[in-house]
Amino acid sequence: MNKKSIFDAVTIGFALFAMFFGAGNIILPPIIGLFTEGSWTSAVTGFSITAILAPFLGIVAVLISGDEFTDLGKRINSTLGWVLATAIILSIGPLVAIPRTAATTYEIGVLSVFPEFSAVWSSVIFFGITLILSISPSKVVNIIGKYLTPLLLVLLVTMVVIGIVNPLDTSKLVNTSYPDPFRLGFAEGYQTMDVLASVIYAGIIISAVKAAGYVSLKEKTKVTYMSGAVAIFCLLFIYGGLVYLGATSGYPITDDLKRTELLLHISNGVLGSQGTLALSLCIALACLTTAIALVCATGTFFSQLTKGKLSYQLVVVVTCVSSAVLAVKGVDSIIDYAAPFLGIIYPITLTLIIYMVALGKSVTRKAPFVGAILTTTIVALIQFSSFIAFKYDFIEYSQAAEAFIKSLPMSSYDVPWLIPSLVAFILVFIIDKMFFKQKSK
């Protein structure tokens, strides 16, 4: 292992950390710590599985299959792969995640410092910067990894270290009354939605590794894993620190508790009068790095999908303009229309990742994977239909569908599809193997 490979791995790892670490990743951990208090370490363990390990497995799944998400999709079905990839890109791209980064920056980062600032101008400035920094795809990883991430990490590490050395209220750590801190952390980790982003970011990261001169499968795999290790370490330290700050915040738990107010309380308590400004800068940098990565991924995907008929630069410009318009609607509006859609796409993507990483090398037939994905899709659609039925006052159906979902194993961990998909995988594998043997005779 030479100095160049270490330097490249650190740079790419920093970029990967910043891509994953958006504003939501700052807001979620403190409230987990607030609720779990003395059991915060168990909560961090659960959160790390769904917010760190699962996204990293998304990158591994793509690496096993090729260089980008469509290669992973081809292992199942080429058409299904493109359809799923398009749905993911739209959800983490111009329809949901990209406008949400600008809206979050405005509502938390800008308004806390400039209460009278216009949402329109905030969106224009945010996406103006995003456009400038993402217009050249070859420079995205270097821009994020060498310049933006170190500044973000310095701010976050400073707040975490000071909060650990001088905690606000350690008396909270003696209270371990929360019934299942691991499950809370596990469920909250889904809210980062980083699993969806991981299979798309994988293409950017692998391309960056290849551009740095690591072309052979062995070298490419080694540097990608090293980069992943850097990102995992950074995420684990920051997540663990933020959960601890929440556990020692001494903030009262009320019915109208807001995550942003808790975070402001912590930053002001730890950093004093400069806390609000530091937090605003953290939010802006976290959102900006994520937005740049997502815009870059969107431009690359649709340029490839249309075989160059839509240029990368054109897609980037259209994505920034459309996202700027949607961002003005605000975070709550974006979340309201996005939640049901994401509730279907997320389980399907996670199913594909889990089975490809666990069995992708040993099971070469496509049918078992398709069976697992279809089963997950059915369960996800039942959940979605329950939501829609409740919204339009079909209460009896909604209650029946919800009761069915709750009857499935591991539904309390928000993965009711896991066991049914495993059963489907095994059954289809057995049937397919028997049919294949008979056909070959």
Side-chain angles (χ1 to χ4, degrees), residues 304-372:
Q304 291 177 348
L305 180 64
T306 60
K307 297 180 180 178
K309 292 179 181 179
L310 294 176
S311 69
Y312 169 86
Q313 287 76 15
L314 175 62
V315 177
V316 165
V317 171
V318 171
T319 299
C320 286
V321 172
S322 61
S323 297
V325 173
L326 289 174
V328 179
K329 295 180 179 293
V331 174
D332 290 339
S333 175
I334 295 170
I335 291 174
D336 285 344
Y337 74 72
F341 178 70
L342 295 175
I344 297 175
I345 300 300
Y346 195 94
I348 295 172
T349 306
L350 190 52
T351 298
L352 179 58
I353 290 170
I354 291 172
Y355 288 102
M356 189 55 63
V357 171
L359 301 165
K361 291 184 178 180
S362 57
V363 179
T364 56
R365 302 284 292 176
K366 295 180 178 181
F369 296 97
V370 174

Side-chain angles (χ1 to χ4, degrees), residues 47-117:
F47 189 79
S48 298
I49 293 173
T50 48
I52 300 178
L53 179 61
F56 179 67
L57 291 180
I59 294 175
V60 173
V62 174
L63 189 62
I64 289 172
S65 305
D67 291 338
E68 54 194 36
F69 179 71
T70 49
D71 293 325
L72 177 59
K74 289 174 185 176
R75 292 289 301 271
I76 311 302
N77 178 277
S78 295
T79 302
L80 175 63
W82 279 109
V83 170
L84 183 58
T86 303
I88 293 172
I89 278 290
L90 290 174
S91 63
I92 67 168
L95 293 183
V96 182
I98 296 176
R100 191 176 65 180
T101 58
T104 303
T105 299
Y106 173 69
E107 294 180 17
I108 302 177
V110 175
L111 286 182
S112 59
V113 180
F114 306 105
E116 303 299 324
F117 202 80

Side-chain angles (χ1 to χ4, degrees), residues 388-424:
I388 295 298
F390 180 80
K391 185 176 181 179
Y392 290 99
D393 294 327
F394 294 104
I395 304 301
E396 291 184 5
Y397 174 81
S398 177
Q399 291 175 340
E402 187 177 354
F404 171 75
I405 294 298
K406 287 184 177 180
S407 70
L408 297 175
M410 298 191 71
S411 61
S412 61
Y413 286 87
D414 286 348
V415 285
W417 45 266
L418 183 59
I419 302 303
S421 69
L422 178 60
V423 172

Side-chain angles (χ1 to χ4, degrees), residues 111-397:
L111 286 182
S112 59
V113 180
F114 306 105
E116 303 299 324
F117 202 80
S118 165
V120 174
W121 277 111
S122 176
S123 183
V124 169
I125 293 170
F126 183 91
F127 283 108
I129 297 172
T130 300
L131 177 61
I132 292 170
L133 296 180
S134 60
I135 200 68
S136 178
S138 62
K139 298 179 180 178
V140 168
V141 170
N142 275 339
I143 290 170
I144 296 175
K146 289 183 178 179
Y147 306 109
L148 298 180
T149 305
L151 179 56
L152 175 61
L153 273 174
V154 166
L155 290 169
L156 289 169
V157 170
T158 299
M159 185 166 70
V160 168
V161 170
I162 294 176
I164 291 173
V165 174
N166 296 303
L168 299 179
D169 186 1
T170 55
S171 66
K172 294 290 183 180
L173 295 181
V174 300
N175 186 349
T176 58
S177 60
Y178 197 84
D180 197 340
F182 177 87
R183 186 171 69 181
L184 175 65
F186 190 90
E188 285 291 308
Y190 287 123
Q191 304 303 318
T192 65
M193 305 306 292
D194 282 341
V195 165
L196 290 181
S198 70
V199 293
I200 303 301
Y201 288 162
I204 299 175
I205 295 301
I206 294 170
S207 294
V209 171
K210 291 168 66 177
Y214 308 96
V215 181
S216 71
L217 179 61
K218 183 178 180 181
E219 289 181 328
K220 185 173 66 175
T221 302
K222 181 180 179 181
V223 176
T224 302
Y225 273 68
M226 288 168 59
S227 303
V230 171
I232 286 172
F233 175 80
C234 293
L235 287 168
L236 185 59
F237 178 80
I238 299 300
Y239 284 150
L242 289 174
V243 172
Y244 177 81
L245 295 185
T248 57
S249 65
Y251 199 75
I253 299 176
T254 60
D255 293 336
D256 59 346
L257 174 65
K258 293 183 178 180
R259 299 171 189 267
T260 54
E261 292 178 357
L262 169 62
L263 197 54
L264 283 168
H265 168 80
I266 292 172
S267 62
N268 288 329
V270 171
L271 300 176
S273 59
Q274 301 302 315
T276 300
L277 182 60
L279 180 61
S280 297
L281 190 54
C282 278
I283 293 290
L285 283 170
C287 287
L288 185 62
T289 52
T290 300
I292 292 168
L294 293 176
V295 168
C296 174
T298 303
T300 302
F301 177 81
F302 283 109
S303 179
Q304 291 177 348
L305 180 64
T306 60
K307 297 180 180 178
K309 292 179 181 179
L310 294 176
S311 69
Y312 169 86
Q313 287 76 15
L314 175 62
V315 177
V316 165
V317 171
V318 171
T319 299
C320 286
V321 172
S322 61
S323 297
V325 173
L326 289 174
V328 179
K329 295 180 179 293
V331 174
D332 290 339
S333 175
I334 295 170
I335 291 174
D336 285 344
Y337 74 72
F341 178 70
L342 295 175
I344 297 175
I345 300 300
Y346 195 94
I348 295 172
T349 306
L350 190 52
T351 298
L352 179 58
I353 290 170
I354 291 172
Y355 288 102
M356 189 55 63
V357 171
L359 301 165
K361 291 184 178 180
S362 57
V363 179
T364 56
R365 302 284 292 176
K366 295 180 178 181
F369 296 97
V370 174
I373 289 173
L374 287 176
T375 303
T376 296
T377 303
I378 292 170
V379 175
L381 287 172
I382 292 173
Q383 283 187 298
F384 175 73
S385 67
S386 174
F387 172 83
I388 295 298
F390 180 80
K391 185 176 181 179
Y392 290 99
D393 294 327
F394 294 104
I395 304 301
E396 291 184 5
Y397 174 81

